[in-house]
Amino acid sequence: MTDRDRAAALFDGWEETLIWAALQGVMGRLEWNGDGSAGRITLGDFCFLAGKPDRALAETLEAPIVTAREEDWYRLVEEVYGPRAVRQTRYATAKDPSSFDRRRLAGFIEALPPGYVLRPIDEAMVPALLAEPWSRDFCSNFDAPADFARRGMGIAALWEGVPVAGAASYSVYSGGVEIQIETREDHRRRGLAKACGAALILACLDRGLYPSWDAQDMRSLALAEKLGYRPAGPYPVIWVEGVR
């Protein structure tokens, strides 16, 4: 059994595109302990732990959002990080391409308020997005602007030529993308997130890619449902303060 086969066995059945990206060797970092009984996948702000809880893997986290399928992993992380480890809840959505209504999505794009324009995120736009905290995660998991232009995809809403909202591939895997949607605070509640999200979903579907969505909170889940996603249930994570 190869190292990748062993890792795939540890994470088998986990319906998470960031895990798929790492197992496919597309993005992220895959690690395991000495005897192969435990594994860790890190991609962006997310860390996934599988197998028999291992203190060495727990003590060397490099991403703040920790997910595991075994309660023993959560207890170990809480033991290692004490009050810095805070339990939170995220919300999964079903991976079902048939759930999207193209006409409804097109309507969100048509409802874009006057003065705003939608543009594909290209290589030239990436540095400006990386420079702003609100938009950094649109492109931060790619090696360089050229890498995003080659493998990623995204839609930005511009106001007076400046990006103020967008939807982009937080990560990519063979068969789809994981969506990241954000709006600059002073341009919120204007339908920009719906318009950008709708445009990106349609672009993915046109290319035969699945636009996966994992909701951070109920507000994010509500937006996902408006765009056509079906809830697949809450799940626990641990936010570890000070880990990057």
Side-chain angles (χ1 to χ4, degrees):
M1 179 180 290
T2 67
D3 288 341
R4 193 162 296 280
D5 289 338
R6 182 170 56 184
L10 287 173
F11 291 92
D12 183 51
W14 204 333
E15 295 288 307
E16 172 54 64
T17 69
L18 276 69
I19 290 175
W20 298 346
L23 294 178
Q24 294 167 359
V26 176
M27 298 185 85
R29 186 169 63 261
L30 171 62
E31 303 162 282
W32 45 85
N33 63 352
D35 62 9
S37 63
R40 180 175 70 192
I41 286 175
T42 306
L43 201 169
D45 287 335
F46 295 85
C47 171
F48 303 89
L49 301 168
K52 182 180 178 181
D54 181 90
R55 179 170 286 271
L57 291 179
E59 288 178 338
T60 54
L61 298 178
E62 296 181 0
I65 303 172
V66 179
T67 308
R69 288 184 290 189
E70 298 84 9
E71 174 62 25
D72 287 348
W73 271 113
Y74 288 127
R75 285 197 288 265
L76 177 58
V77 170
E78 289 171 330
E79 177 185 329
V80 169
Y81 294 95
R84 293 168 54 197
V86 179
R87 294 215 186 197
Q88 298 179 346
T89 300
R90 293 183 68 91
Y91 301 87
T93 62
K95 293 176 174 58
D96 179 10
S98 69
S99 67
F100 301 109
D101 182 333
R102 285 179 173 267
R103 182 173 297 180
R104 179 176 170 84
L105 292 173
F108 292 143
I109 298 171
E110 292 169 3
L112 191 72
Y116 293 96
V117 294
L118 298 185
R119 292 286 184 270
I121 297 174
D122 58 13
E123 182 176 349
M125 196 186 298
V126 171
L129 296 173
L130 289 172
E132 296 290 336
W134 73 268
S135 57
R136 184 177 183 276
D137 282 345
F138 289 158
C139 316
S140 61
N141 292 323
F142 293 83
D143 295 336
D147 183 41
F148 180 88
R150 180 173 62 87
R151 298 194 295 159
M153 56 191 305
I155 304 291
L158 277 58
W159 176 260
E160 297 180 346
V162 177
V164 294
S169 50
Y170 181 81
S171 60
V172 296
Y173 67 100
S174 177
V177 306
E178 187 71 30
I179 285 184
Q180 175 80 13
I181 296 182
E182 293 290 345
T183 303
R184 206 174 76 183
E185 188 171 2
D186 57 334
H187 288 264
R188 291 176 181 169
R189 299 180 183 86
R190 302 179 191 183
L192 304 183
K194 283 191 295 186
C196 292
L200 181 57
I201 290 168
L202 289 173
C204 286
L205 297 178
D206 288 344
R207 298 187 191 184
L209 301 173
Y210 185 74
S212 180
W213 184 309
D214 187 85
Q216 176 182 355
D217 51 30
M218 292 299 294
R219 180 182 63 85
S220 176
L221 182 62
L223 175 58
E225 290 185 271
K226 290 175 183 176
L227 290 168
Y229 291 90
R230 293 187 293 104
Y235 67 94
V237 299
I238 291 182
W239 172 271
V240 183
E241 190 77 29
V243 172
R244 285 290 176 187

